[in-house]
Amino acid sequence: MTNEVLENIMTRRTIRRFREAQVGEEELQAVLDAGLYAPSAGGRQGVLFVVSQDKETNEKLGRIKRNNSHVKQSTDTVYISKEQPSIADDPAIINAFYDAPVVITLFVPKNFLYGPYDASAAAENMLLAAHSIGLGGCYIGSAWESFNDPFGQETLKKWNVRTDYYAALHVLLGYPKDEQAPRGKARNSGRIIRV
């Protein structure tokens, strides 16, 4: 069985190479709307979406994130992507946001157990929406690491982010640099257990 939604889910790929062109306002709003309509625990709708299209800010926060990410480097047999390397694959990559023109940071309440799950659901909606309209996207976890220095803390104040919220994750958006999307990996067998 297949339909347009299932096809979109099965063909979406993580993109880490972006063109410099800024994302159009109509496209960006469509992706944000998809995030706003994601399921949330108790219908609470507690996720805050901060959209940064400022190249200098995004680059600085991406460098902070890279410097605070203590990822184990990949090996010849264990890696994230050979086609579009991640910061774990290539130590020469100094910007954990891969020069994406749009960085959306999802903030969640500090005192709400299900906040990170709500943010993850919103991120998936946004990535699927982005793919459906020709944008590329990438999910970046542990977003609080991006603000773990004086510039990051100053940025939170500048953005007027509530102090009872923290950065859960980032969604990177842009037009894919390569015409060909990365190849999908075969699905591992044995992951469905019917009882």
Side-chain angles (χ1 to χ4, degrees):
M1 176 183 287
T2 188
N3 62 33
E4 192 174 323
V5 173
L6 293 172
E7 180 72 16
N8 190 55
I9 291 169
M10 293 177 187
T11 59
R12 189 211 61 79
R13 301 287 177 262
T14 295
I15 301 299
R16 292 187 193 87
R17 292 183 182 152
F18 301 96
R19 287 188 271 164
E20 288 187 29
Q22 191 50 256
V23 172
E25 184 55 37
E26 187 177 12
E27 294 161 309
L28 178 56
Q29 191 58 53
V31 171
L32 290 167
D33 287 343
L36 291 173
Y37 278 87
S40 61
R44 186 177 173 133
Q45 301 178 48
V47 177
L48 301 178
F49 304 80
V50 176
V51 181
S52 177
Q53 295 175 279
D54 183 75
K55 183 175 182 173
E56 184 179 335
T57 299
N58 291 346
E59 185 174 325
K60 284 183 181 178
L61 292 175
R63 285 173 178 256
I64 295 167
K65 167 68 175 155
R66 173 64 173 111
N67 291 336
N68 289 320
S69 295
H70 303 290
V71 293
K72 185 179 178 191
Q73 294 299 311
S74 299
T75 67
D76 287 340
T77 56
V78 179
Y79 52 87
I80 305 298
S81 175
K82 297 252 187 206
E83 293 173 286
Q84 293 197 21
S86 75
I87 60 173
D89 298 319
D90 185 352
I93 297 173
I94 57 172
N95 180 350
F97 297 162
Y98 309 101
D99 299 317
V102 178
V103 178
I104 304 169
T105 306
L106 281 63
F107 291 87
V108 298
K110 290 179 179 176
N111 64 351
F112 186 54
L113 176 63
Y114 301 107
Y117 310 113
D118 290 350
S120 293
E124 181 66 8
N125 268 22
M126 295 165 74
L127 292 168
L128 289 170
H131 175 59
S132 76
I133 58 176
L135 293 174
C138 184
Y139 177 115
I140 304 289
S142 306
W144 58 85
E145 294 173 343
S146 306
F147 302 97
N148 195 15
D149 91 336
F151 178 80
Q153 291 299 302
E154 206 50 46
T155 300
L156 292 176
K157 289 177 190 169
K158 180 180 168 187
W159 289 352
N160 294 315
V161 174
R162 295 171 47 171
T163 57
D164 58 335
Y165 274 64
Y166 73 95
L169 60 92
H170 303 287
V171 173
L172 313 181
L173 293 177
Y175 299 105
K177 195 174 202 175
D178 302 320
E179 295 297 321
Q180 185 78 23
R183 290 184 312 273
K185 295 177 182 175
R187 301 295 96 179
N188 292 338
S189 62
R191 294 172 51 212
I192 297 173
I193 301 170
R194 295 178 183 254
V195 294

